[in-house]
Amino acid sequence: MIWLVAGGTLLAWYLLVRYFVYQSHSNSRQSTLSQLCPSPDCVRCSGSLKALYSSDARDKLKRMYGKYESLTVHKVEERLTFDMSALGESRRPTVCYLRQMCNEPWHSQKQEYLQNLLLDSYSIIKGEVAAALTNTGLWSVSDSNATGKWQKLFLYNQGKKVEKNCQAMPLTTALIEGLDTFMSGVIFGNAFVSILNKDSHISAHCGPTNLRVRCHLGLQVPEGDCSITVSGVSERWANRECLMFDDSFLHSAVNKTESQRIVLIVDLWHPNLTLTEIKIFSELFAVKQ
């Protein structure tokens, strides 16, 4: 009888501790979610969209064995995960992670040909952005991860072409669509103009995947404290220069000057992926209609 009472008391204490642990985790998760954007379609912020793609990923890969080289598909199956629990806080993408990939956060020297293409059209891009600045209806204001004001003009938003905005910047759109490494039609593929207003800060966060690198082309960069930090290393933007980085690493941005910082942002396939792997991931993460 004493043994039963003691056992019951221990069980009660155990359940009580579990309850408080659950509440703590729940509150922490709610606090994190409150910092994310409210859109149910956002790849980075919506857990439901992650579940939508992870639920049938294995079945899709199985069907690719007759279409692509079997060994390549098999390696993708082994390396791709949607479980980030084993990753550290400094690199924890929100949707998926490909193991055995490059661990370098910065990639500016690896795609010089692409930088040259963008720089050759620099005046055209800057001219179209200047014209778009007068049309406030094209711009959205991001309220996630930012203090101050962060504005975006999307040409492609998570793989989907924003026709109205592309019509306002047709030459820039054509240039981006002509890049063979642009993630067109894939949920991780974005192309947009980003304005970080004066005295603004984008808090540290991780992107959705390590399948891409993100290119920033400096269009209007003020003098002073205006920089981006990726995996603890800070770099300043510069006019007519590109910064390329793997945004699955923790990164943040700051503009403590009295002027706007304007960059063109384009998402590209990671340079360490093979052409066959890119085709596989293009099917696996194609925008769902």
Side-chain angles (χ1 to χ4, degrees):
M1 186 66 178
I2 294 175
W3 180 84
L4 289 174
V5 171
T9 301
L10 287 173
L11 178 60
W13 273 106
Y14 172 77
L15 292 175
L16 188 62
V17 169
R18 291 290 296 174
Y19 171 78
F20 282 114
V21 168
Y22 170 80
Q23 286 294 100
S24 175
H25 286 179
S26 177
N27 291 339
S28 175
R29 175 171 170 75
Q30 288 301 318
S31 175
T32 299
L33 289 176
S34 69
Q35 300 174 17
L36 302 179
C37 72
S39 171
D41 298 321
C42 181
V43 169
R44 188 176 60 78
C45 301
S46 173
S48 61
L49 195 57
K50 172 182 174 179
L52 179 64
Y53 280 88
S54 62
S55 61
D56 62 355
R58 300 303 169 191
D59 290 337
K60 281 185 176 180
L61 284 169
K62 295 295 184 187
R63 294 194 292 270
M64 291 183 193
Y65 271 96
K67 190 172 183 179
Y68 302 109
E69 184 185 15
S70 296
L71 182 59
T72 302
V73 178
H74 176 67
K75 286 183 177 180
V76 167
E77 273 194 293
E78 286 188 328
R79 296 167 61 198
L80 184 65
T81 182
F82 294 88
D83 180 6
M84 312 302 167
S85 59
L87 301 178
E89 294 295 329
S90 63
R91 192 188 197 188
R92 185 172 290 189
T94 57
V95 177
C96 71
Y97 180 74
L98 189 65
R99 303 182 187 94
Q100 301 168 24
M101 279 283 278
C102 172
N103 287 320
E104 296 178 15
W106 293 98
H107 291 265
S108 293
Q109 301 305 315
K110 291 194 173 183
Q111 299 201 35
E112 291 183 2
Y113 80 95
L114 185 145
Q115 296 181 61
N116 291 334
L117 284 174
L118 291 174
L119 293 176
D120 286 344
S121 303
Y122 183 82
S123 297
I124 293 173
I125 297 170
K126 192 167 183 179
E128 289 193 332
V129 171
L133 287 172
T134 63
N135 188 345
T136 57
L138 301 176
W139 298 83
S140 60
V141 178
S142 177
D143 58 0
S144 65
N145 293 315
T147 58
K149 193 174 182 182
W150 181 19
Q151 297 167 273
K152 302 174 184 176
L153 188 158
F154 280 100
L155 302 175
Y156 277 81
N157 188 1
Q158 295 173 160
K160 297 179 181 179
K161 189 172 184 177
V162 184
E163 293 290 348
K164 179 181 70 171
N165 293 356
C166 289
Q167 289 170 10
M169 298 182 59
L171 298 178
T172 302
T173 299
L175 173 67
I176 292 170
E177 291 175 341
L179 301 175
D180 55 5
T181 55
F182 173 53
M183 300 180 89
S184 176
V186 180
I187 59 170
F188 306 127
N190 302 278
F192 60 101
V193 182
S194 168
I195 298 178
L196 190 60
N197 281 276
K198 65 178 185 177
D199 198 26
S200 296
H201 173 248
I202 302 172
S203 60
H205 61 284
C206 296
T209 183
N210 65 331
L211 296 175
R212 75 185 188 189
V213 292
R214 177 156 276 192
C215 173
H216 284 203
L217 172 63
L219 298 174
Q220 179 179 304
V221 182
E223 295 293 332
D225 190 356
C226 185
S227 63
I228 181 169
T229 300
V230 183
S231 191
V233 177
S234 297
E235 294 281 356
R236 273 188 50 82
W237 295 280
N239 294 323
R240 301 186 64 91
E241 291 186 12
C242 291
L243 290 178
M244 293 191 187
F245 62 96
D246 179 343
D247 73 327
S248 67
F249 287 92
L250 198 67
H251 59 285
S252 61
V254 64
N255 179 11
K256 293 184 179 180
T257 75
E258 292 299 310
S259 303
Q260 292 179 325
R261 179 239 59 184
I262 306 177
V263 297
L264 174 67
I265 297 178
V266 183
D267 289 328
L268 310 165
W269 289 106
H270 196 288
N272 282 31
L273 294 173
T274 67
L275 289 176
T276 302
E277 289 170 338
I278 289 174
K279 290 178 181 179
I280 291 172
F281 290 123
S282 293
E283 287 192 33
L284 201 59
F285 296 109
V287 173
K288 293 183 184 291
Q289 303 300 327

